[in-house]
Amino acid sequence: MKIQLPDGSERDLPEGSSAYDLAASIGEGLAKAAIGARVNGELYDAHRPLPGDCEVAIITAPRLNKKGIPTYRDDQHRADALYLLRHSAAHIMAEAIERLWPDTQLAYGPPLDNGFYYDLKLDTPISSDDFEKIEAEMRKIVEEDRPFKRYELAHDDKGMDKLLREGNKYKVDNATRALDRADNKRSYHLDAVGAPIQKHVYEAAQGAMLSFYVTGNPSDTQQHGGTLSSLKDGQKEIWQWEDLCQGPHVDRTSRIAAFKIMSVASSHWHGDVNSDRFQRVYGTAFFSPEELDQHLENLEEAKRRDHRVVGQRLGLFAIDEKVGQGLILWKPKGAVVRDELQKFISRYLEQQGYHQVFTPHIGKLDLYRTSGHFPYYQDSQFPPLVDSDLMRKLADEGCSCGDLAARMTDGDIDGYMLKPMNCPHHIRIYANDKHSYRDLPIRLAEFGTVYRWEQSGELGGMTRVRSFTQDDAHLFVTPDQLADEVMGCIELVKIIFKTLGMTDYRVRVGLRDPDSSKFVGESSDWDAAEAACVAAAQSMGVPFSQEPGEAAFYGPKIDFVVKDVIGREWQLGTVQVDYQLPQRFELEYVGRDNKPHRPIMIHRAPFGSMERFIAVLIEHFNGAFPLWLSPEQVRVLPVSDKFVGYAKEVEARLKQERLRVTLDDGNDRLGGKIKSAEEDRLPYMLVVGGKDAEARTVSVRHRDAGDLGAVPLERCVENLVRERDTQSLEPIVATVA
């Protein structure tokens, strides 16, 4: 086999060799560290035979620094290594649970971005009191240092009949779905107790296989015919455990250096509340105890920063059951933050030649039929609004709800809908006038509120809501303008991230899969759009990935994934190129040749939704916003009632400069006033006493830097204004006396 390595070099290996063999041919150290590989982009076990001539990148266990924290080559290495580790930890946890509760029936156990879980059917409730004994059993399995071994059985009766004999209907269902994905035409159905009631065989796809993973020796486990068995080797007891699984896994259980059971919840088979109920046990795993401790510390910090707690404690927003779930009430302080962000981005929109527009919150169903939003996405939309007189007339005629829905879908009945997207409205603004190529690009922007019917279980504070406002814009451009306009959108995102101190981010470029029928439009258009998106991503100087198959059906897209101060990633903002909607709405402009041409449309929203973005900001800053964003920027604190008069002068002077200032002239002692201001996360407190009144100074106190001493009032005002107007993240007043 010819094996191509990431550096472009090639190696010849005997047929049937594995990634481990490849690593061993390079060096003993690499072989020892190898835990898996990417083979033609797909994750493989280290010991799984390679498929022939292929591209291979070895995945190694990370090295530990002096503090015991793993160091990864890059984000992809970290993601791959932890995927292998956590998938293996899920198997170890499942085996431990089966040891403790032998009547457990396992369903499904995937890795996650931050851990793993396993869905299982067990009549005995698992509680947090059981976590310690599960972990103890897991430690035994890790210490046994057993290998993970893969074996495959053909799609015929060898594989499926093995599962049918074992009687776990969930595994049979998993296998059936796996075979269906392999374009296999065989299906099995089991009744409630797991016995086969129907077995219908069609011609099977050649080469379809089922894969199993054994923690131990495959031949011994198969010989004993169960998922869990114990053998005696002299006085030593040897355990083997297996699970139907597509893999991949690390090479040995001892690779899993640190793990923890996190929680248990309920779930249902295939997510259907009417189907079998499971217990879902969550855990996480890392390559070192220190990395696990760091993760747990970050989780505690995330709880302290939770925007639902911090935001409501600071009086930024409320969610009221009488108003409705997922509907945010912006309080005055939260409205200040939102308004400052809107004013901030509006200045740059004006500089880049955008035109602000306003559109209604509803539109005719026919508008969304043309765009494709109705009925194809109606599950995530609020129900249509139909004329009440027409509804009564149809009811009198015996029209059922199903008939009504069908007639609305077919267009026989019209109505209105709360808008799920702003783009159809902006399209109609463009279409309202005739355009020449000289008019383009046309850039329309709106802080437009849209509505989505999210399921109640999916709602979460301000990050997942039913009504949200997008900093939305749509650009109508000619083909030769596309690249520059995408770059302009990217520049806007860079300005936002830099201003807010969000410097740790990466970019995902979603491209089409040429082999998929999901994507519409001409191949040449896609080539130009993808080239523009990739070039724009390259220009940012940050890590970016190209992900085939992740484009929208109408064009490629660029997503921005930001890492906050405690290492969590958030998808914020997007730029998308669209050929489809201009075609659906038959948009035109007159070209240089005096003939009609179709414009290209760019969708862009740097913030994404204001609700989600501000939720992330609350957690990023832990409610301690920089001066320019703070709802209350300064609080004046008189030492006693004798100095309230001068305190009012200071307050008035600050208000002249449009600073958001309050005066605390209550009866608390000064220490209590300072504590209250610190709890409100205010940037500055100005303490005034007798010496300050005489010298026309203020004693400055910053929330982070503490007491900074007396500063002349006018100099303090000047520095506050400069810190606000430059949108500085650093406290200028605290550093300039």
Side-chain angles (χ1 to χ4, degrees), residues 641-715:
D641 291 346
K642 292 187 293 185
F643 310 113
V644 169
Y646 178 58
K648 287 183 177 179
E649 289 183 45
V650 173
E651 178 191 26
R653 179 69 188 93
L654 295 174
K655 284 185 174 179
Q656 285 179 350
E657 301 297 335
R658 296 178 294 105
L659 287 159
R660 295 186 287 274
V661 57
T662 58
L663 168 65
D664 186 350
D665 56 359
N667 296 324
D668 278 355
R669 292 179 179 273
L670 179 61
K673 293 178 180 181
I674 291 173
K675 182 180 179 182
S676 176
E678 289 175 342
E679 288 175 347
D680 290 342
R681 314 283 170 93
L682 300 190
Y684 288 100
M685 293 150 272
L686 303 184
V687 180
V688 295
K691 291 183 179 179
D692 294 302
E694 290 177 11
R696 305 291 295 175
T697 62
V698 290
S699 296
V700 180
R701 186 177 184 87
H702 186 264
R703 67 182 167 214
D704 297 323
D707 190 359
L708 302 172
V711 176
L713 174 59
E714 288 304 316
R715 183 173 299 170

Side-chain angles (χ1 to χ4, degrees), residues 157-188:
D157 293 350
K158 264 189 181 177
M160 290 302 298
D161 281 1
K162 168 182 166 57
L163 295 173
L164 290 166
R165 286 195 310 272
E166 291 169 359
N168 183 330
K169 67 176 181 179
Y170 311 116
K171 294 300 180 181
V172 172
D173 182 72
N174 290 343
T176 302
R177 289 167 177 266
L179 292 173
D180 287 344
R181 285 194 294 272
D183 199 26
N184 195 45
K185 304 302 182 183
R186 180 183 295 246
S187 61
Y188 296 81

Side-chain angles (χ1 to χ4, degrees), residues 197-233:
I197 57 173
Q198 182 183 5
K199 179 178 174 183
H200 196 51
V201 182
Y202 293 88
E203 183 179 353
Q206 282 292 335
M209 305 290 286
L210 292 175
S211 58
F212 298 80
Y213 278 82
V214 177
T215 316
N217 187 307
S219 60
D220 288 343
T221 306
Q222 292 173 70
Q223 178 183 338
H224 284 72
T227 60
L228 186 67
S229 61
S230 172
L231 303 175
K232 289 284 186 178
D233 178 12

Side-chain angles (χ1 to χ4, degrees), residues 478-491:
T478 64
D480 59 336
Q481 294 167 342
L482 177 63
D484 286 344
E485 291 302 314
V486 170
M487 287 293 295
C489 295
I490 295 290
E491 286 301 316

Side-chain angles (χ1 to χ4, degrees), residues 599-611:
I600 303 167
M601 191 173 173
I602 301 173
H603 307 246
R604 73 106 191 93
F607 289 143
S609 88
M610 300 301 291
E611 285 74 9

